[in-house]
């Protein structure tokens, strides 16, 4: 659990700035035994079961089902005959129904799970990007947030690695383009991808070997069978000729047929001929209003209009107002806000729409519109609702999202800084949350809608709502590494703030972009954004904002080991925080300054600043940051030789990690405990501490800190005289640091590897390691780097 303000980072706050995944776990057999690698136990990761429910009253399509069966082999252990199947056809022809029905029939053939994504390629809103779909799939497959890369290529590579050797069924629904699909394809046989699209997606057939199934309207006999299946139990004596005419008017498209059949079923005493006459009249009216030359589209919209006009006035109004909702699916709570009515009444109205097949229920109290119906609802609300009514409804919804998010964040991050929000719209009552888990669950369910809400607010010039919603979201994005949404909302918020001429909001959004770039290791971009935010804050006299921006530039200096720059920034932030009386930010600056002095080797100044930071944190009862300061203090005391107090500090820090049940802190701080244990002559205990740290970091997906734990394992083996094991662990750690481009940690690891190799008479390899370490240190100018270069040069026998 994390407490405090996630926007105010120390470099040692456990943030994810690395990407990738690991497949092995470190395990110690006993203190003086070996440490070996084996495959990680993923039994605790739930098997993804993401398929939506099967289609009610699915009939026929037997030839198409047999076609899909052809991708499978008789032997369940054999590779698939085809790993990619594409179902194409016009809107409403039943592509999704066919894919899901077949998937439910075959799910037992895929014991490692089923993944589903509606890519919304033809939705009135923005389609789902490959990056967004990969992020969700990787989380469903058990990858921790820290292991998920920020970039598309890294996500796709990790996804392919995770699916290697697995038998997973992947349904990619409503794809618009090959570019949406291709990054979501596994790299090895065993998994099957089924894609539905209105496009032919010829590139997948030509390049990726997809088998294409072109779905046409139902044959007449099957269309009639579907009508009879839906009306079974309600109507029994309908004339075959009338059913044939009803099927014709619906263009034999399953979506239209189901809506028409449901209306017939709901009026069992009304003659089918009378219903058909109504539909003919609607068709004639529609033909007079449209110039489109698309018989199938006209038939579908005719059925929509026919069913819509049969609704009661209040249910019809709810249906058309649903066309205003910013997201792809929604909960009963937001529907009630939309029509400004109580929840029980709106749930009854939603049930009517579900029964009429004008709305789908995707989960308990969650609903979604077929993209054609959503477009129809949006068209109706534009023509039938006054502009003031539309704007008021949307304002209520956006206000609800803004204030409910504020309520959730107050529970998730109780110490976070809050934004000054305008009061909720009249009669809008935001949700409240009993605890952190409930608040996080709400966020996950509404995640896509929150991005859409920010975009919708910007589109209707509610710019303050747009940037505040975006700025509030960054805290939770940062804690969960949701880079795609973070970038999207930050850019939306930035544009809105600029449109409104709101310099305060513009600086907030530049800060958000700076933090996102910092966390994704795009340091040049991060610096540019933070400097732009600082310029604005200086211009408008925003002193608290200045302190935040200056602190951020200091963190960039620490990350790059530009320690003189970092020291200057943290000193400025500390002075400014004192001037404005912000004790929490003053403590943060003192702690960061203490860490900078530690890296400079000025241990007296480091200890002084860290003790000052601890006094502030204890005054504020900020136990989370107290733990971080104790960790840095422990490192500093150890360097001075005061191992007794160093041990006391790290044990106090670990106690705080236990109090918060924070495994991230625990894993990172255990490596420092191991260093102290080695310093007091207990390398066996150090080995156990590093083993535990590496195991946790592997589970969390933080490869950088996993490498530090592996390095510590190598150091413990080195002191135990187990040089071959030491070299193996140093090599493993060096490989990870090299992959991540962490030259500072790489140089330290290579130095220890060289010492180990030299002791085993591997002088040539030791020399090679020292030369690489020297190259890694070339860009660092601080005293520690200079001392390390001097020692490496001396070891190489250079003048």
């Amino acid at each position: 659990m994390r407490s405090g303000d996630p926007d105010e980072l120390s470099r040692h706050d456990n943030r994810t700035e690395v990407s990738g995944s690991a497949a092995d776990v470190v395990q110690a057999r006993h203190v003086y035994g070996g440490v070996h690698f084996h495959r990680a136990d993923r039994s605790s990761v739930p098997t993804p079961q993401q398929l939506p429910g099967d289609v009610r009253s699915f009939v026929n399509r037997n030839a198409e089902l047999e076609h899909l069966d052809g991708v499978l082999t008789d032997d369940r252990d054999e590779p698939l005959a085809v790993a990619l199947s594409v179902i194409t056809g016009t809107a409403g022809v039943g592509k999704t129904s066919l894919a899901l029905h077949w998937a439910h029939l075959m799910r037992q053939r895929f014991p490692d799970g089923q993944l589903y994504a509606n890519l919304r390629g033809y939705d009135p809103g923005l389609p789902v990007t490959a990056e967004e779909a990969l992020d969700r799939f990787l989380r469903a497959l058990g990858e921790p947030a820290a292991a998920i890369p920020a970039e598309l290529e890294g996500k796709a590579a990790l996804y392919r690695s995770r699916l290697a050797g697995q038998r997973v069924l992947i349904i990619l629904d409503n794809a618009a383009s090959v570019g949406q699909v291709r990054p979501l394809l596994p790299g090895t046989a065993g998994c099957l991808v089924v894609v539905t699209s209105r496009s032919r997606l010829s590139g997948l057939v030509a390049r990726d070997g997809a088998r294409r199934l072109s779905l046409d309207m139902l044959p007449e006999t099957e269309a009639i069978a579907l009508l009879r299946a839906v009306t079974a139990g309600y109507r029994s004596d309908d004339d075959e000729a009338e059913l044939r005419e009803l099927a014709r008017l619906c263009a034999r498209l399953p979506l239209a047929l189901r809506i028409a059949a449901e209306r017939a079923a709901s009026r069992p005493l009304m003659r089918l001929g009378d219903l058909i006459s109504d539909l003919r009249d609607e068709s004639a009216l529609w033909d007079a209003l449209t110039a489109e030359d698309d018989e199938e589209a006209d038939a579908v919209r005719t059925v929509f209009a026919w069913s819509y006009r049969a609704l009661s006035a209040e249910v019809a109004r709810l249906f058309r107002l649903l066309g205003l909702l910013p997201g792809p699916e929604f909960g009963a709570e937001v529907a009630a806000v939309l029509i400004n009515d109580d929840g029980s009444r709106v749930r009854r109205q939603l049930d009517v729409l579900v029964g009429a097949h004008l709305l789908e229920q995707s989960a308990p109290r969650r609903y979604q519109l077929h993209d054609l119906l959503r477009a129809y609802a949006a068209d109706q609300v534009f023509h039938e609702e006054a502009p003031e009514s539309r704007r008021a409804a949307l304002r209520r919804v956006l206000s609800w999202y803004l204030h409910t998010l504020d309520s959730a964040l107050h529970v998730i991050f109780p110490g976070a800084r809050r934004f000054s929000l305008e009061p909720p719209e009249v009669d809008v009552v935001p949700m409240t949350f009993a605890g952190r888990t409930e608040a996080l669950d709400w966020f996950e369910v509404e995640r896509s809608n929150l991005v859409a809400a920010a975009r919708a607010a910007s589109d209707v010039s509610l710019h303050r709502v747009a940037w505040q919603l975006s700025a509030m979201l960054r805290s939770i994005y940062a804690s969960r590494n949701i880079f795609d949404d973070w970038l999207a909302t930050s850019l939306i918020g930035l544009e809105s703030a600029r449109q409104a001429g709101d310099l305060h909001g513009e600086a907030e959004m530049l800060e958000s972009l700076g933090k996102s770039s910092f966390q994704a290791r795009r340091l040049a971009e991060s610096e540019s954004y933070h400097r732009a935010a600082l310029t604005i804050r200086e211009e408008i006299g925003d002193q608290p904002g200045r302190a935040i921006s200056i602190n951020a530039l200091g963190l960039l200096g620490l990350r790059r080991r530009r320690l003189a720059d970092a020291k200057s920034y943290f000193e400025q932030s500390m002075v400014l925080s004192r001037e404005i009386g912000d004790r929490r930010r003053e403590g943060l600056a003192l702690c960061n300054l203490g860490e900078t002095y530690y890296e400079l080797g000025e241990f007296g100044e480091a200890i002084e600043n860290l003790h000052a930071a601890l006094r502030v944190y204890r005054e504020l009862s900020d136990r989370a940051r107290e733990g971080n300061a104790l960790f840095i203090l422990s490192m500093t005391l150890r360097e001075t030789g005061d191992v007794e107090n160093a041990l006391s500090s790290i044990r106090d820090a670990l106690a705080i990690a236990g109090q918060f049940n924070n495994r991230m802190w625990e894993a990172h701080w255990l490596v420092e405990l191991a260093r102290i244990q080695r310093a007091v002559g207990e390398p066996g205990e150090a080995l156990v501490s590093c083993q535990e740290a590496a195991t946790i970091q592997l589970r969390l997906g933080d490869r950088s800190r996993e490498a530090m734990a592996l390095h510590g394992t190598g150091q413990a083996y080195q002191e135990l005289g187990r040089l071959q094991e030491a070299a193996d662990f140093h090599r493993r750690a060096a490989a990870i640091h090299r992959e991540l481009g962490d030259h500072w940690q790489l140089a330290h690891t290579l130095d220890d590897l060289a010492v180990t190799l030299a002791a085993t008479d591997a002088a040539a390899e030791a020399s090679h390691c020292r030369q690489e370490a020297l190259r890694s240190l070339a860009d660092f100018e601080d005293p520690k780097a200079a001392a390390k270069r001097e020692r490496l040069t001396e070891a190489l026998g250079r003048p």
Side-chain angles (χ1 to χ4, degrees):
M1 175 179 176
R2 181 175 169 77
S3 179
D5 183 354
D7 283 341
E8 289 300 304
L9 305 185
S10 159
R11 189 171 67 112
H12 278 289
D13 279 338
N14 210 16
R15 283 282 180 252
T16 301
E17 299 108 19
V18 298
S19 63
S21 178
D24 302 304
V25 65
V26 182
Q27 179 174 311
R29 287 197 294 268
H30 49 77
V31 171
Y32 289 99
V35 175
H36 60 92
F37 294 98
H38 61 81
R39 293 295 296 176
D41 178 14
R42 301 194 66 92
S43 60
S44 61
V45 177
T47 301
Q49 305 283 346
Q50 295 189 333
L51 290 182
D54 199 356
V55 180
R56 180 165 57 92
S57 304
F58 187 92
V59 295
N60 301 310
R61 295 292 194 194
N62 294 321
E64 290 84 354
L65 290 169
E66 287 180 8
H67 177 98
L68 291 172
D69 288 347
V71 306
L72 303 175
T73 55
D74 293 334
D75 188 340
R76 296 188 178 210
D77 295 325
E78 287 295 317
L80 298 170
V82 178
L84 176 59
S85 184
V86 177
I87 303 172
T88 67
T90 190
V93 78
K95 301 181 293 297
T96 298
S97 297
L98 175 65
L100 290 178
H101 183 67
W102 183 83
H104 278 279
L105 292 174
M106 297 298 164
R107 63 191 306 169
Q108 299 305 317
R109 299 288 296 269
F110 299 91
D112 297 310
Q114 303 90 43
L115 297 171
Y116 172 85
N118 185 347
L119 299 179
R120 306 193 182 280
Y122 300 92
D123 197 82
L126 292 178
V128 175
T129 65
E131 291 94 330
E132 292 167 338
L134 283 168
D135 184 88
R136 291 179 181 273
F137 281 173
L138 287 167
R139 291 170 196 266
L141 290 166
E143 289 297 334
I148 299 176
E151 307 297 337
L152 172 61
E153 185 176 345
K155 282 186 173 77
L158 178 56
Y159 172 73
R160 291 192 295 270
S161 297
R162 182 65 185 86
L163 290 179
Q166 303 287 299
R167 292 187 74 87
V168 176
L169 176 61
I170 301 135
I171 306 294
L172 304 178
D173 201 10
N174 292 318
S177 67
V178 171
Q180 259 186 312
V181 172
R182 189 163 280 144
L184 305 175
L185 302 181
T188 55
C191 296
L192 171 65
V193 180
V194 178
V195 184
T196 73
S197 179
R198 297 180 200 173
S199 166
R200 291 178 58 80
L201 301 180
S202 298
L204 294 180
V205 177
R207 176 176 156 183
D208 301 284
R211 176 182 291 186
R212 182 163 53 211
L213 170 61
S214 296
L215 205 59
D216 201 352
M217 63 185 68
L218 287 171
E220 185 177 88
T221 55
E222 294 190 3
I224 293 171
L226 176 56
L227 290 171
R228 289 196 183 279
V230 175
T231 59
Y234 300 94
R235 309 178 67 93
S236 58
D237 57 352
D238 288 326
D239 181 73
E240 182 84 7
E242 290 181 331
L243 287 171
R244 188 179 303 114
E245 175 64 7
L246 182 57
R248 185 191 69 78
L249 289 169
C250 294
R252 304 200 308 274
L253 292 170
L255 175 62
L257 287 164
R258 287 182 180 278
I259 292 173
E262 192 61 49
R263 185 170 175 192
S266 67
R267 292 162 176 78
L269 300 181
M270 188 174 185
R271 293 190 310 135
L272 189 60
D274 292 337
L275 288 169
I276 291 171
S277 295
D278 287 348
L279 183 54
R280 281 202 199 98
D281 291 343
E282 192 69 53
S283 178
L285 175 63
W286 184 253
D287 288 342
L289 293 175
T290 181
E292 292 183 26
D293 186 22
D294 186 338
E295 207 172 296
E296 293 167 355
D298 285 354
V300 170
R301 290 180 67 88
T302 297
V303 173
F304 290 172
W306 177 62
S307 186
Y308 169 69
R309 297 187 198 288
L311 299 172
S312 68
E314 64 176 10
V315 176
R317 183 168 188 266
L318 170 61
F319 173 78
R320 63 178 176 264
L321 285 175
L322 292 176
L324 295 174
L325 289 179
E329 53 86 52
F330 59 92
E333 301 86 357
V334 80
V337 172
L338 182 69
I339 63 172
N340 199 21
D341 208 336
D342 66 77
S344 59
R345 184 180 301 180
V346 81
R347 282 193 294 275
R348 290 194 296 271
Q349 295 176 23
L350 291 168
D351 287 342
V352 172
L353 291 173
V354 171
H357 280 283
L358 294 175
L359 187 66
E360 302 169 38
Q361 185 162 7
S362 54
R365 298 173 62 85
R366 303 294 299 183
Y367 305 87
Q368 63 185 9
L369 287 164
H370 187 285
D371 53 4
L372 290 179
L373 282 161
R374 188 175 174 204
Y376 180 77
D379 187 58
Q380 296 311 302
V381 78
F382 180 78
H383 287 100
E384 296 187 36
E385 289 286 328
E388 314 84 67
S389 174
R390 295 198 304 266
R391 186 171 178 84
L394 186 56
R395 284 187 71 104
R396 287 194 300 272
V397 168
L398 296 175
S399 177
W400 183 86
Y401 274 120
L402 181 71
H403 286 274
T404 301
L405 176 62
D406 183 59
S407 175
L409 292 176
H410 183 62
V411 175
I412 298 168
F413 304 117
R417 59 191 172 108
R418 310 290 291 275
F419 288 93
S420 178
L421 306 179
E422 294 179 354
E425 292 290 307
V426 176
D427 296 326
V428 170
V429 180
M431 288 180 65
T432 57
F433 303 94
R436 190 171 188 269
T437 299
E438 184 183 338
L440 283 170
D441 288 346
W442 175 84
F443 167 78
E444 283 298 335
V445 169
E446 296 288 354
R447 179 177 150 187
S448 296
N449 292 333
L450 288 164
V451 178
R455 184 174 290 111
S458 181
D459 288 345
V460 297
S461 300
L462 294 175
H463 294 306
R464 182 177 174 84
V465 173
W467 78 253
Q468 287 191 329
L469 191 61
S470 301
M472 289 161 61
L473 282 166
R474 74 180 174 217
S475 299
I476 197 163
Y477 290 158
S479 69
R480 299 170 80 81
N481 262 25
I482 306 176
F483 288 110
D484 303 313
D485 291 353
W486 193 355
L487 177 62
T489 53
S490 295
L491 291 173
I492 290 167
L494 179 62
E495 178 60 23
S496 261
R498 286 174 171 168
Q499 286 287 331
D502 188 331
L503 291 175
H504 175 71
E506 183 177 353
E508 288 286 348
M509 299 321 304
L510 287 166
E511 179 192 330
S512 184
L513 287 163
K515 291 180 184 297
S516 173
S517 301
F518 182 86
Q519 198 154 316
R521 300 179 70 88
R522 297 191 295 268
L523 301 188
E525 290 179 34
S526 178
E527 181 175 2
S528 176
Y529 286 128
H530 282 306
R531 289 195 181 281
L534 178 58
T535 298
I536 291 174
R537 284 166 166 168
E538 288 175 340
E539 177 184 338
I540 64 178
D542 178 3
Q543 299 297 74
R546 282 187 62 213
I548 292 170
S549 293
I550 291 169
N551 180 74
L553 292 171
L555 291 174
L556 279 162
L558 262 182
R559 173 63 50 77
R560 292 163 159 166
R561 286 195 73 79
R562 297 175 183 171
L563 300 179
D565 290 344
K567 175 174 170 288
S568 175
Y569 286 126
F570 292 139
E571 286 174 340
Q572 292 176 55
S573 184
M574 179 188 64
V575 170
L576 184 54
S577 298
R578 282 177 176 167
E579 288 176 354
I580 61 178
D582 190 331
R583 294 285 283 161
R584 192 179 301 277
R585 200 163 286 123
E586 177 188 349
L588 183 70
L590 286 165
C591 188
N592 286 339
L593 194 54
E595 183 179 357
T596 306
Y597 276 120
Y598 163 77
E599 295 292 354
L600 285 165
E602 299 178 22
F603 301 127
E605 289 82 354
I607 291 170
E608 180 181 343
N609 280 277
L610 290 165
H611 277 304
L614 283 168
R615 287 192 293 272
V616 173
Y617 292 151
R618 287 165 180 163
E619 171 193 324
L620 300 173
S621 299
D622 191 339
R623 294 281 284 165
R625 289 207 175 83
E626 181 183 348
N628 189 54
L630 286 166
F631 161 63
I632 301 168
L633 178 62
S634 177
M635 293 194 298
T636 309
L637 292 169
R638 174 179 49 79
E639 290 274 11
T640 67
D642 187 355
V643 291
E644 183 178 348
N645 283 318
L647 184 60
S648 176
S649 292
I650 199 61
R651 283 178 173 164
D652 287 347
L654 286 165
I656 291 172
Q659 174 190 338
F660 283 94
N661 192 28
N662 192 309
R663 300 287 276 172
M664 294 183 292
W665 298 343
E666 179 186 2
H668 191 42
W669 299 346
L670 275 170
V671 176
E672 173 57 22
L673 175 62
R675 296 185 190 110
I676 298 170
Q677 288 166 333
R678 288 192 296 105
V680 298
E682 296 177 349
E685 294 298 323
L687 188 66
V688 173
S689 296
C690 286
Q691 173 263 325
E692 186 176 357
T695 301
I696 297 170
Q697 295 293 11
L698 179 64
R699 197 171 298 129
L700 295 173
D702 192 329
R703 298 197 69 212
S704 176
R705 289 179 177 174
E706 178 195 350
M708 294 179 195
L710 296 177
H711 182 196
T713 303
Q715 290 172 317
Y717 267 132
Q718 198 169 335
E719 295 194 9
L720 286 167
R722 304 277 290 275
L723 300 184
Q724 187 57 55
E725 289 97 332
D728 288 344
F729 278 93
H730 288 322
R731 288 191 186 98
R732 180 69 181 253
I736 295 174
H737 288 315
R738 192 180 290 114
E739 177 188 342
L740 297 175
D742 191 334
H743 299 296
W744 179 251
Q745 293 295 338
L746 176 60
H748 284 285
T749 304
L750 289 171
D751 185 17
D752 278 335
L753 176 57
V755 171
T756 305
L757 291 169
T760 61
D761 296 325
E765 189 179 352
S767 176
H768 175 79
C769 289
R770 287 178 174 130
Q771 289 169 7
E772 186 181 355
L774 275 173
R775 292 194 297 272
S776 298
L777 293 169
D779 293 333
F780 302 120
E781 300 177 354
D782 57 275
K784 281 189 179 180
K788 177 74 75 176
R789 272 196 299 269
E790 183 178 348
R791 198 159 55 75
L792 286 165
T793 301
E794 182 180 344
L796 284 166
R798 294 180 182 174

